Amino acid sequence: MDWPHRYLERTSVDERTAICVLTHDAKFDIPLLRLALDLPVAYVGTRCGSVSTTPAG
């Protein structure tokens, strides 16, 4: 087990790769999305929390 962005750093990706982020935790999501958005992949997506689960502020 490792942090998601560290795993992605050592994983081979290409223009057919889709990356979906489902953790709902900024300490995992932000580093992973920063890396993923700079990669030559076909799709980067995330599922945002709902109004009832997203902290105010």
Side-chain angles (χ1 to χ4, degrees), residues 20-38:
C20 299
V21 181
L22 305 172
T23 59
H24 304 281
D25 190 330
K27 73 177 174 256
F28 299 116
D29 296 350
I30 293 171
L32 178 60
L33 289 169
R34 283 185 176 149
L35 174 61
L37 290 170
D38 285 333

Side-chain angles (χ1 to χ4, degrees), residues 1-13 32 35:
M1 293 288 273
D2 204 348
W3 288 76
H5 70 281
R6 290 184 189 156
Y7 175 81
L8 184 57
E9 286 173 337
R10 63 178 189 273
T11 301
S12 178
V13 298
L32 178 60
L35 174 61

